[in-house]
Amino acid sequence: MRVGFVGLGAMGLPMTRNLVEKGHTVTVASRSRPPVEAAMAFGAVDGGDAAGVASASEVTVICVPSSPDVADVVDTMLPMLREGKVIVDCSTISPSVEREQHGRVNETGAAYLEAPVSGGTVGAERGTLTLMVGGSAGALDAARPALEAFSGLIVHVGGPGVGQVAKLCNNLIYAAQMLATSEASVMAHEAGIDLRVLHQILTASTADCTAVRTRIPFEGVLPDAPASNDWMPGFMTDLMAKDLDLALEHGAANGLPLLSTALVRQVLTMAQAEGFGREDFSALGKVIRSLANESSE
């Protein structure tokens, strides 16, 4: 299949590699030149810009940071779209903005899907991402051969916008997990409990969750955790903060009480103020550790 990819960041570049390795002809574009050259080195073709990518491709995937970025990419693509082409947005953006992009693309005769992803950079590299799809079932059938190249699970959630809502649900839960994991880790550490022992207990108990399994926010406890690897991001603090802003915006527009989400967002703000924005979002644990040290002085 002729597949396009716009946005070769930490997620997009490994997703593109999986597409090439699965035998697709992949045309790419990105904001900066180095990732395009990296993609060309493993077999992708330089499309120049989003319009060139859309022109060359049956299915074009977008993976960019924000709602305005997605709208800008769609603006550039629109003149090249027609019946038979499918645009798939794998970014995490506002559900209301996403619904607008569905309408704009569908007016050209092309099809549009949102397919925000979960699984982080590890899932992108391994081709095991979970995709939460909003849009028509027919468009998903057409795009599925491309999407399967970098996914382990593709779920059709419903119509326009609901895939993004599902992704925001996922991320607000994950963020709340991380805050609770941080607080529990600090409590155990202050009591003199070996955090490896705590990890063994929690993963076999009712507290078990992804944050506990992968992101104890103390150095040296879990070898693969960001805390043990200079807080290298699997998912950046700035991006989690952006996603919680989207969730809070959606909640406010629909009269939904997102109390834990608002609390975690405050802690993420503190992490950003401390300069942890481009570190893994588990760096919010450093904020909790710092507050604990201050209160014990």
Side-chain angles (χ1 to χ4, degrees):
M1 176 174 276
R2 290 180 289 109
V3 182
F5 209 106
V6 178
L8 303 178
M11 298 291 289
L13 189 60
M15 291 163 73
T16 297
R17 181 187 292 274
N18 277 301
L19 282 161
V20 171
E21 290 179 351
K22 296 295 172 58
H24 298 288
T25 300
V26 185
T27 304
V28 300
S30 199
R31 184 176 296 171
S32 61
R33 188 66 193 170
V36 173
E37 292 177 352
M40 291 171 65
F42 57 69
V45 177
D46 183 5
D49 61 11
V53 171
S55 177
S57 306
E58 301 164 84
V59 175
T60 300
V61 180
I62 304 170
C63 191
V64 293
S66 70
S67 299
D69 291 329
V70 172
D72 287 346
V73 170
V74 172
D75 281 343
T76 304
M77 289 181 172
L78 282 177
M80 303 299 164
L81 301 184
R82 60 179 186 275
E83 186 175 354
K85 291 183 179 288
V86 183
I87 307 302
V88 183
D89 180 25
C90 287
S91 316
T92 300
I93 68 168
S94 162
S96 61
V97 172
E98 195 73 284
R99 285 192 292 271
E100 293 171 4
Q101 307 319 306
H102 278 268
R104 297 171 71 207
V105 170
N106 290 341
E107 286 178 358
T108 70
Y112 189 90
L113 295 170
E114 68 208 63
V117 303
S118 181
T121 53
V122 172
E125 290 162 0
R126 294 177 179 174
T128 58
L129 295 170
T130 295
L131 275 59
M132 299 159 238
V133 181
S136 77
L140 177 55
D141 288 342
R144 189 178 290 274
L147 303 182
E148 286 177 339
F150 50 76
S151 65
L153 177 66
I154 300 172
V155 180
H156 186 210
V157 186
V162 297
Q164 293 294 351
V165 173
K167 175 61 186 294
L168 297 180
C169 290
N170 179 83
N171 280 18
L172 72 84
I173 291 172
Y174 195 15
Q177 285 181 14
M178 192 62 241
L179 179 55
T181 297
S182 298
E183 292 175 350
S185 297
V186 169
M187 180 183 290
H189 180 73
E190 291 300 308
I193 298 172
D194 185 330
L195 292 182
R196 295 177 185 83
V197 172
L198 180 70
H199 183 260
Q200 180 183 12
I201 293 167
L202 297 181
T203 54
S205 303
T206 53
D208 189 24
C209 63
T210 301
V212 164
R213 285 185 172 271
T214 65
R215 280 175 163 77
I216 298 293
F218 279 78
E219 298 81 354
V221 178
L222 301 177
D224 294 332
S228 300
N229 293 280
D230 296 322
W231 305 91
M232 183 180 299
F235 190 58
M236 285 194 300
T237 298
D238 284 343
L239 292 179
M240 181 60 88
K242 181 265 294 185
D243 288 357
L244 294 197
D245 285 342
L246 293 173
L248 291 167
E249 175 187 297
H250 181 78
N254 292 276
L256 305 173
L258 302 182
L259 305 181
S260 66
T261 305
L263 177 59
V264 183
R265 182 61 180 92
Q266 292 178 26
V267 183
L268 288 168
T269 298
M270 297 170 72
Q272 290 174 302
E274 291 294 326
F276 307 151
R278 298 193 65 81
E279 296 181 356
D280 188 81
F281 83 101
S282 58
L284 67 81
K286 291 197 282 186
V287 173
I288 303 303
R289 290 168 60 179
S290 177
L291 292 172
N293 290 335
E294 290 172 7
S295 66
S296 65
E297 291 177 354

